[in-house]
Amino acid sequence: MSPFYAHTKTCSDGSLCPEREWEPLFSEDCVGLKGKPCPKCEALDPQHGHLNKVAYWCAKFAAEMFPEGSEDRETAHQWGFLAGLWHDLGKFSDEFQKYLEKASDIHCDEVLEKIDHSTAGAQLAVSKHPLGYCLATAIAGHHAGLLDARHESKACLIKRLTKEIKSVKAAPLEITNLQLPGPASFIKPSCSAFTLSFFQRMLFSCLVDADFVATEAFMNEGKSICRPQFKQQILENALHVLESKIESFGTPISEVNKCRSTVVQNCFSAANQPQGLFSLTVPTGGGKTLSSLAFALKHAIKHGHKRIIYVIPFTSIIEQNASVFSDLLAELGDDIVLEHHSNLSPNKETTFTRLASENWDAPIVVTTAVQFYESLFAAKTSHNRKLHNIANSVVILDEAQALPVQYLNPCLRTLEQLASHYYTTIVLCTATQPTVSKTEQFNIGLEHITEIIHDTSALFASLKRVNIHYRETLDDQTIINEMSAAEQVLCIVNTRKHAQALYQLLPENDDENYHLSALMCPEHRQQILSTVRQRLDLGRSTRLISTQLIEAGVDIDFPTVYRSMAGLDSISQAAGRCNRNGKISTGQVHVFHSEHTASEIYFRETANVGHEILDLHSDDPLSTAAVSAYFDKYYYQQKSKWDAKDIMTDFSIVRDAKLPLLFQYRSVADKFKLIENNHIPIIVPWDEMAKKLCEQLRNLSIPLNRKLFRSLQRYTVQIYENQFWKNHHQFETLRDGKFNVLICPETHYSDAFGLNLTDEAPNSKSLICQ
């Protein structure tokens, strides 16, 4: 019997496990756990060793999605083993064997589009049982990505399953005669189509990650050895560090610190509850960042969860949150917290972060909502690879109210699958908790959500640090007059145009007046925020005008804030930048209607609902009752938008003898875009570092690499596609059109406003880049 798929622990023979024919028993060396192939396997035939390793890893990854000792863990192990064992059956064909004689790299053929070696395994799977489509979906797409089940003009699953392929008679019968295991406990005749599709997707994730890891061990031993490995004990160590940090705060004296202490204790207490869905409703400034970590660590340790994943809606705040965790856990090493987002500074990047970001194999992962949700609906292998590591984890959804209405149903269904079937605890963490519990009016809601805070109303009352003043319509000059009379004041408006208009009206005093906009590159914005924080701490006069990018987690504290009318969640976030740390008795938040109504059509719907709630709850518009009323109107009354792109329709079951499970994965991936991809990045040579990076980009002898790409992202501004083509003469296109650099930053980028593509500058303030 061939030894490449059923080693004993000592690798002394190739016999199958007598009790479970599906279960291979491997030694570490046999499966390349240490980056070294088994000499016996590889001496026989390299691709046999590859099947062996992929079967091992895929079974391992699938099993780890479920808790120890559970029936589903054993079942998933079997499904993963078969997916790995059958994924490359086409390599046993005479056609592929001839190809091997000519090719030096046995694992690049699919990329080179030379030999189809995945269809054979997919066809074998469906010949066994209708549930074989679960394996066929993963196997057929393990190189090219998930396919649509049907498509008239492009490659699709049904075409692959019905195509004629070369004979694979050389494949051992011990492999091809294996039968499918029984289904997981939640795969029932009554289960939803989405449940079936999600199971297929998770198997696909296990397979593609296993294939990557096994190939890496063979092709790149050095990289394989560097791949991060961590033990569950690291979470226990992290909890000890956090508990010590909390104890170092001492007995809380101020009202704010007393409330923060209450939040922490509630989180520690709730962590003992069973795995499932939770909400953590804490006012801004209530310490929910560390408190949520306390819950996550203790809960993960108690229930054996593998990791903690923080999902943050905006890249403008992700680095701040990640820094809090990294600084707190610094004594445990540099490889505890993984940041995975587009703005990561190359100075922070290590071998660990590069490798771990491929599949989120880290104790604590901090990522964006775009990365999280779009990966869960993606078709590409690189995006799906990490998904199995979301299962059996604690997922903290920071600023959970940021769920877009048009994707509400698909997002909630995904959270439901993770919590109900994949042993994942989900925490909806926010100061303005969206009412997403299932009701008669909101039938797509989630069931059995447990609130962590014992008394949210009392907490909000205790942490009330601001008064909200509804000012009706304020013209720009009135706003400027009031801001000029204040020492420290923040004004947040809905559009870049309005922010620029207000800033131009401020008196000429660049040492006191500042402006923030997404037209500034991330490095520029970070420096402005740092300067503003220093001035506030020193008590110096500081006036800041910003778009809404400053909301949701940016740690900044003004005594007075002006906010253009918006949704109640945005008003609450603006209030969170006012008297954040309780330094004064009461901060003042002024909510007003802008005179720029024509340019704010996009915000009209949320602003109208926000205005209505302000009128109805004028005594305390940020109370839990007011927030509940806001989301009742904003979410519940927009039923037609809950799945605006009909994504759930593509996850439907068609009772077809040839194809009983019909899921349009690739079509869904094209439609599911939290941020519509109609922007083009522009690189701005803003400072000396940026100029040096652009020179490297022009130097074709310097290969493109991850570090250079990440460095350039710190100096990138996104503009609409139509703006790009209208002003394309202002950009230098490099590297075959992959990069666009602003040609003349001296006239088209200012320290005050950022990118300005018009022929006329907004005004004379700081037009020269540093």
Side-chain angles (χ1 to χ4, degrees), residues 734-752:
L734 301 172
R735 305 279 181 148
D736 297 323
K738 294 184 177 67
F739 299 90
N740 297 285
V741 178
L742 184 64
I743 294 174
C744 191
E746 292 79 10
T747 58
H748 292 290
Y749 191 95
S750 76
D751 287 344

Side-chain angles (χ1 to χ4, degrees), residues 452-620:
I452 291 174
I453 301 302
H454 297 164
D455 190 341
T456 56
S457 297
L459 179 65
F460 272 69
S462 298
L463 276 175
K464 184 179 179 182
R465 303 183 302 281
V466 302
N467 285 330
I468 306 293
H469 306 279
Y470 172 50
R471 301 285 301 278
E472 297 186 345
T473 300
L474 295 181
D475 60 53
D476 288 356
Q477 192 58 58
T478 300
I479 297 170
I480 291 302
N481 291 342
E482 295 185 14
M483 290 186 68
S484 299
E487 286 296 307
Q488 296 183 338
V489 59
L490 166 66
C491 181
I492 306 173
V493 294
N494 292 326
T495 66
R496 299 168 182 172
K497 182 179 179 180
H498 191 187
Q500 288 187 0
L502 285 173
Y503 183 75
Q504 291 179 87
L505 291 176
L506 284 170
E508 292 280 351
N509 192 337
D510 292 335
D511 291 337
E512 298 181 0
N513 303 328
Y514 298 88
H515 169 246
L516 272 180
S517 166
L519 288 175
M520 297 169 176
C521 63
E523 189 69 28
H524 187 180
R525 295 199 304 263
Q526 195 63 40
Q527 290 191 24
I528 291 175
L529 280 172
S530 178
T531 300
V532 168
R533 288 192 186 102
Q534 292 175 11
R535 293 184 64 85
L536 291 173
D537 290 341
L538 294 172
R540 295 180 179 176
S541 295
T542 308
R543 301 172 191 88
L544 175 62
I545 296 173
S546 175
T547 57
Q548 61 268 33
L549 65 85
I550 199 171
E551 295 175 346
V554 176
D555 189 5
I556 203 162
D557 190 352
F558 282 88
T560 304
V561 172
Y562 286 75
R563 182 57 167 98
S564 183
M565 181 60 72
L568 197 64
D569 52 338
S570 294
I571 294 172
S572 175
Q573 293 296 343
R577 308 320 117 199
C578 182
N579 197 23
R580 183 177 180 85
N581 297 312
K583 294 179 180 178
I584 57 178
S585 59
T586 307
Q588 307 302 321
V589 177
H590 302 269
V591 180
F592 62 93
H593 286 283
S594 164
E595 66 177 67
H596 297 257
T597 56
S599 62
E600 297 189 357
I601 296 176
Y602 177 81
F603 304 92
R604 185 171 297 167
E605 194 169 69
T606 54
N608 287 342
V609 178
H611 182 195
E612 186 176 346
I613 299 301
L614 284 179
D615 285 340
L616 293 173
H617 297 267
S618 56
D619 55 330
D620 188 2

